[in-house]
Amino acid sequence: MISSSSGVAQKDIRIIKSQPSFRNLLTELWRSKRLVFAHAVREIKIRYTPSVLGIAWVLIQPVLVTVAFAFLFSRFSNLASRDIPYPLFTFVALLPWQLMTSGISRSTTTIVDNKHLFTKVHFPVIILPLAGTIVSLLDFFVCTMFVCILFIYYSFTPSANIVIFPLMLFLTLYITAGIGVMFSAFTVKTRDIGHALPFGIQLSLFLTPIAYDAHLVPEKWQMIYSLNPLVSVCLGFRWTLLGADIPLDMFLISITVGFIAATTGFIYFNKARTHFSDVL
Amino acid sequence: MQEPVINVKGLGKEFNLKQAAGFGTGIRNAVQNLFRSHQPPLPHQRKFWAVRNLTFEIEQGESVGIIGMNGSGKSTLLKMLSGVMYPTEGEAKLKGSIGSLLEVGTGFHHEFTGRENIYFAGALLGLHKSETKKYFDDIVAFAELEKFIDIPVKHYSTGMFMRLGFSTSAHLPTSMLFVDEALAVGDTAFQRKCVNRMKYLARQGRTQLFVSHDMNTIQSLCPRSLLLINGTLYESQVTADCIAEYEKIAGITKPVTQWTGHIGNENVELTRFNILSRETANPQNEFQRGDTAVIHLSYQIIHPITDLVIGIEVCDQIGNVLLRSRAGDFEPNPPEMKEPGIYTAAVTIDLGLLYPGEYNIKADMGIHNIVRLVENQAVLELKVKTPQGEQVNHVHSMLQSAAYPPWTWQFSRE
C-alpha cells in the first residue's frame, strides 16, 4: 500500500467542526513543527535572495541606529549607567526591541499575504505568523554576534545574570509571537493595523528605554510608560547581559501587560481562524 | 465492519455576503465585528447556506464523485473536508492524511523552482525532505518536467503548472486524495494520464473524492457518487443513477439514437421520438448530406386537450439552436387532434441544409402560450457525413454559418 509504507501516520484522526478547541490548535501545531521551519526558511529566501547585500541588511539597521544614538547622545553622560559603554548600553536594548517590533510587523501581514496557500491546502494557519517571529529570531542571532564583538571591543565582562538570559529570550519570543498572531488575525478583518504599525514602531523607539535609562522617566509617568511591553524586555536584556539596574516595578508591570496581551492574542487567533478563508 | 474513513454528520456552511460598506460605516462595523463574533446580522448583510445537513460516510479505498451544478456546494464541501474552511455547523471525522488539489498548483509559490515547491508540498504534509526525495523522481517524470524542474514556476505555462500540481498531489503519500476540477486544464493526453493514475491509486486502496463536471471521467473513476443540489445531498448511490438524476435536473440530456419514455403532464405525454430514413423507413442516425430524414414524434393524449404544440429543434453540439420548426408554423390550421389516443407526427428535414458534422435533435412539446412540456428531455443524435466524392471546401463557412442553404453563386464580367 502506498499510504502505509510512508512516513505519514495513517491513524491521524482529524475532526472538523465549527469551533476547534485551543488544544486542537496546539496538537496541530506540534504535528507540523517541521513546517514552521520550512516556511521560515522559505520566507528568508524570498526576502534576501533578490537583494545584493542579502543577509547583511539584518545588521545594517540596528548598527546604524546605535551609531546614530551614540553620536547624538553619548555626550550626555547621565543618560546611561556610568560603568557601561554607551554603544553597548544602547545596542543590547535594541536587540529585543528589534526582535519584537520586526517580529510583530512581519507577522501582521503573513495571513493576508499567504492567502493563496492556506485557502488551498490544509495546515495550521498559525504557523504563518509564527514563522514571522522565527525569521526575526534568526535576524536576532546575527545581531547577537555583533554584540559579542562589542563585548570584546570594550573588554566588557557579561554579568552573572546571563544565566537567566534564555528565560528572558523566551518571554520576549512569547510576547512577540502572541501579539504578532493577534495582529495577523486583525489584519484579515481590517487593514488598519498595517497603517498604524510603522508609525507605532517609530514612536516606540523613543518610548522604550533604548537611548536612555528607564530611571530618567519622570516618576508620575512611569506607570503609563510601563504599559508598553517593550519596556520590560529592554530592561530585562540589559539586566541579564550587562548587569544594569532593573527598576522592578516597571519591569513587572510591563512584562505582565505583555504576557496578558500575548495570551489574549493566541486565544483570539484560535477563535478568529475559522473565518480566515471565508473573508479572504 | 470497518469504520468509515470519512464520516460526515450534519455538515453545513453559512456564508455572509457583505455588501460593500459605504464610507463611514467602516469604523462602526469594525468595532462591532471585533468584539461580537455572533452578532445579529446587520441589515446590509445577507447570509446564505452554501451547503447544509450533509450526512454521509465514505469507506477506506472508495472513489467517490461529487456531482452538482455550479453553486451547488461541491467545492465548499471539499474545502471543508480538506480543512481549509471551517463548517458553521455539524462535524466531519477523517482518518488519515489528505492530499488535496483544490485548484491548479495548490500552494505553489511563484518565485520558487519546481523542485523547491515539491519539497515544500511534502513539508505541508509533514514529510521530511529525505522522505519527499523518495517520490521526487516519480513526480517529475509523471509531470514531464525534467528539463524545467529547476526554474521558478512563475515561468511555467498553465499546463506545466497544472501537471506539476497534479503529479505532486498524486504521488506524495497521503491516504486520501481530493481533486477539485483540476483536470479541466491540460491536454487530452495528460488528462487521460491523470485518470489512469487515479484509477491506479484507487486500486492501491487510496480513498479519493473527485469533483468534476465531466461526467465521463466521473463515471469511469467513481463507482459511487454524491449528488449535491442547492447545497443539500440529493442522493448518494451508484454513479450512473446520480448522473441521470443530475442531467434531468440540469436539463442536460444525453442524445440517444431513439427515444422512448413518458414525459408530459396528466393529459398528454410524448412516448416515442426517432429519426427514420425516408427511403427505407428504418430508424437511422447517420445520413449523408443531401439525404432527407423523417422525424417521428409519437404522443398519447390521455384526456382531451386543446392547443397542443409539437415541434423539433436542430442544435449543434454546444446547444445552439440552428433550425427550429413547429407543426402549424405555416399552415393556418394544423390538424387538431384533441381526442384521447396515440398519434404520430412526422416531419421531414432536408439534410442538405446542414454542414457535415454531429447534431442533436430535440423534441419540443407544449400547450400554446401556457406551458412547455418537453424541452430538453428527449434528444436524438444525428450525424451528417460528406457524400463520397464531394469536395470539401467549406471549412471556413462551417465555423461561421449555422446552415447550408442551396446557395448558387454566379460570376460575370462587365
Side-chain angles (χ1 to χ4, degrees):
Chain A
M1 293 289 208
I2 289 186
S3 39
S4 52
S5 67
S6 74
V8 177
Q10 178 112 49
K11 49 190 181 298
D12 283 359
I13 291 187
R14 193 192 289 169
I15 309 248
I16 289 165
K17 53 183 175 185
S18 58
Q19 184 55 64
S21 65
F22 196 70
R23 230 187 92 188
N24 167 280
L25 182 78
L26 296 180
T27 33
E28 275 194 349
L29 186 59
W30 177 249
R31 239 184 248 167
S32 33
K33 50 195 176 299
R34 248 179 232 155
L35 190 57
V36 184
F37 293 99
H39 191 75
V41 169
R42 184 160 143 148
E43 288 293 307
I44 291 171
K45 276 195 194 162
I46 294 175
R47 224 150 44 92
Y48 294 117
T49 321
S51 60
V52 181
L53 291 181
I55 201 98
W57 278 111
V58 173
L59 263 178
I60 291 171
Q61 199 198 348
V63 169
L64 284 183
V65 171
T66 309
V67 168
F69 278 6
F71 183 73
L72 285 172
F73 299 126
S74 55
R75 280 161 223 204
F76 306 94
S77 53
N78 55 343
L79 277 179
S81 314
R82 254 151 269 114
D83 40 1
I84 303 170
Y86 186 80
L88 197 56
F89 180 82
T90 305
F91 200 84
V92 163
L94 261 180
L95 274 182
W97 179 85
Q98 184 171 350
L99 172 58
M100 205 176 253
T101 52
S102 76
I104 290 171
S105 66
R106 199 165 279 154
S107 308
T108 299
T109 53
T110 44
I111 294 185
V112 179
D113 290 346
N114 286 288
K115 110 183 195 196
H116 66 279
L117 202 59
F118 75 88
T119 55
K120 304 284 182 288
V121 210
H122 170 81
F123 62 91
V125 179
I126 196 166
I127 69 162
L128 298 173
L130 287 187
T133 302
I134 289 177
V135 172
S136 299
L137 181 64
L138 293 171
D139 293 358
F140 171 84
F141 285 136
V142 175
C143 295
T144 312
M145 288 183 227
F146 187 71
V147 172
C148 296
I149 296 171
L150 283 180
F151 271 106
I152 296 164
Y153 179 79
Y154 289 107
S155 345
F156 191 89
T157 323
S159 117
N161 299 337
I162 201 163
V163 289
I164 310 178
F165 177 72
L167 177 70
M168 204 52 236
L169 180 58
F170 176 79
L171 275 173
T172 312
L173 286 176
Y174 181 78
I175 297 172
T176 308
I179 297 178
V181 153
M182 174 160 65
F183 282 4
S184 71
F186 279 159
T187 305
V188 175
K189 286 203 169 176
T190 158
R191 305 292 147 91
D192 298 80
I193 298 266
H195 295 296
L197 205 58
F199 170 69
I201 288 173
Q202 251 174 6
L203 210 58
S204 74
L205 190 59
F206 302 101
L207 293 178
T208 308
I210 293 171
Y212 53 88
D213 201 357
H215 293 297
L216 294 175
V217 178
E219 194 130 357
K220 58 175 179 177
W221 293 112
Q222 281 187 0
M223 200 35 210
I224 296 172
Y225 183 81
S226 316
L227 293 177
N228 171 9
L230 282 162
V231 170
S232 61
V233 294
C234 292
L235 292 176
F237 267 62
R238 268 191 197 145
W239 179 65
T240 52
L241 294 180
L242 305 176
D245 292 346
I246 183 159
L248 207 59
D249 48 344
M250 288 173 89
F251 176 78
L252 286 178
I253 294 172
S254 174
I255 200 100
T256 313
V257 169
F259 194 81
I260 292 172
T263 310
T264 315
F266 284 116
I267 293 169
Y268 175 76
F269 185 91
N270 188 49
K271 277 199 94 62
R273 67 175 166 142
T274 56
H275 299 295
F276 291 163
S277 40
D278 304 357
V279 180
L280 290 176
Chain B
M1 215 183 92
Q2 216 190 352
E3 244 189 288
V5 285
I6 301 178
N7 193 342
V8 177
K9 276 195 198 124
L11 206 64
K13 176 76 194 177
E14 190 179 39
F15 282 108
N16 228 331
L17 295 181
K18 275 190 203 162
Q19 286 169 4
F23 187 75
T25 58
I27 293 174
R28 201 188 65 222
N29 293 343
V31 172
Q32 283 173 337
N33 284 339
L34 285 179
F35 294 105
R36 288 189 277 166
S37 52
H38 294 291
Q39 81 261 42
L42 299 169
H44 63 274
Q45 292 182 341
R46 268 200 309 129
K47 295 190 164 198
F48 89 104
W49 288 91
V51 289
R52 199 161 199 191
N53 291 329
L54 301 182
T55 300
F56 59 88
E57 291 181 350
I58 288 167
E59 306 288 333
Q60 164 71 44
E62 262 195 298
S63 286
V64 177
I66 301 176
I67 306 174
M69 276 172 266
N70 287 333
S72 61
K74 304 182 298 287
S75 298
T76 306
L77 171 62
L78 219 53
K79 278 184 181 168
M80 285 194 287
L81 292 181
S82 312
V84 302
M85 200 176 253
Y86 292 82
T88 313
E89 59 177 32
E91 200 182 284
K93 210 182 206 176
L94 288 92
K95 277 196 275 183
S97 57
I98 296 161
S100 50
L101 195 57
L102 297 184
E103 212 172 88
V104 171
T106 298
F108 285 170
H109 196 292
H110 289 243
E111 293 292 334
F112 288 126
T113 65
R115 183 187 300 274
E116 287 166 318
N117 272 306
I118 292 175
Y119 283 116
F120 192 72
L124 279 173
L125 287 170
L127 295 179
H128 195 262
K129 205 165 176 178
S130 62
E131 291 169 292
T132 308
K133 205 177 172 122
K134 287 188 270 178
Y135 308 95
F136 185 84
D137 291 341
D138 289 343
I139 293 173
V140 179
F142 186 90
E144 300 160 22
L145 287 172
E146 289 90 343
K147 280 185 212 154
F148 307 101
I149 200 63
D150 284 312
I151 64 168
V153 294
K154 66 179 170 188
H155 298 305
Y156 282 19
S157 70
T158 318
M160 289 157 74
F161 205 75
M162 180 262 149
R163 293 203 310 261
L164 188 63
F166 180 87
S167 183
T168 308
S169 303
H171 285 84
L172 289 176
T174 54
S175 48
M176 294 179 214
L177 182 63
F178 298 168
V179 179
D180 186 356
E181 286 290 352
L183 306 184
V185 229
D187 55 28
T188 330
F190 191 73
Q191 277 182 26
R192 201 172 303 138
K193 204 168 154 185
C194 292
V195 170
N196 286 337
R197 176 73 191 167
M198 288 178 77
K199 280 183 182 163
Y200 169 79
L201 292 175
R203 281 198 302 276
Q204 297 285 311
R206 189 156 338 177
T207 312
Q208 296 184 109
L209 279 183
F210 183 53
V211 168
S212 180
H213 285 289
D214 179 2
M215 294 303 143
N216 292 331
T217 314
I218 292 246
Q219 187 126 40
S220 69
L221 272 176
C222 313
R224 185 163 80 102
S225 287
L226 309 173
L227 174 59
L228 285 178
I229 293 166
N230 292 329
T232 48
L233 195 59
Y234 193 78
E235 281 178 20
S236 87
Q237 43 157 304
V238 188
T239 295
D241 297 350
C242 278
I243 293 179
E245 192 64 44
Y246 165 75
E247 287 178 336
K248 206 162 103 192
I249 292 158
I252 310 163
T253 318
K254 260 208 189 116
V256 289
T257 51
Q258 42 187 323
W259 184 91
T260 51
H262 294 275
I263 34 173
N265 63 6
E266 66 282 1
N267 296 326
V268 59
E269 281 179 346
L270 182 73
T271 54
R272 200 155 51 87
F273 179 39
N274 56 4
I275 313 175
L276 309 162
S277 148
R278 191 172 62 172
E279 280 78 43
T280 62
N282 287 328
Q284 192 176 322
N285 292 78
E286 274 192 34
F287 293 87
Q288 291 195 337
R289 228 179 60 73
D291 287 354
T292 299
V294 186
I295 295 156
H296 279 193
L297 297 107
S298 299
Y299 55 98
Q300 182 176 14
I301 296 180
I302 304 156
H303 298 110
I305 51 160
T306 49
D307 292 336
L308 180 67
V309 178
I310 296 276
I312 58 155
E313 284 174 356
V314 178
C315 305
D316 64 14
Q317 294 272 294
I318 329 163
N320 298 319
V321 179
L322 306 176
L323 305 167
R324 178 179 191 171
S325 173
R326 282 179 168 176
D329 274 352
F330 298 104
E331 303 89 22
N333 292 307
E336 282 267 324
M337 288 184 275
K338 305 178 185 173
E339 295 309 308
I342 297 174
Y343 303 89
T344 296
V347 57
T348 54
I349 171 167
D350 174 7
L351 296 179
L353 281 173
L354 295 174
Y355 283 97
E358 294 184 20
Y359 299 90
N360 293 334
I361 299 187
K362 292 182 182 175
D364 175 11
M365 188 172 87
I367 307 297
H368 183 63
N369 275 346
I370 297 187
V371 66
R372 207 151 169 201
L373 296 170
V374 180
E375 195 172 357
N376 283 314
Q377 298 93 323
V379 184
L380 300 176
E381 56 185 46
L382 171 71
K383 265 186 203 152
V384 180
K385 292 171 139 186
T386 314
Q388 291 228 316
E390 188 183 274
Q391 208 185 337
V392 186
N393 287 329
H394 40 55
V395 181
H396 280 290
S397 346
M398 226 166 120
L399 297 173
Q400 283 160 26
S401 170
Y404 194 155
W407 308 110
T408 43
W409 285 87
Q410 282 184 350
F411 297 86
S412 56
R413 190 170 178 178
E414 304 208 347

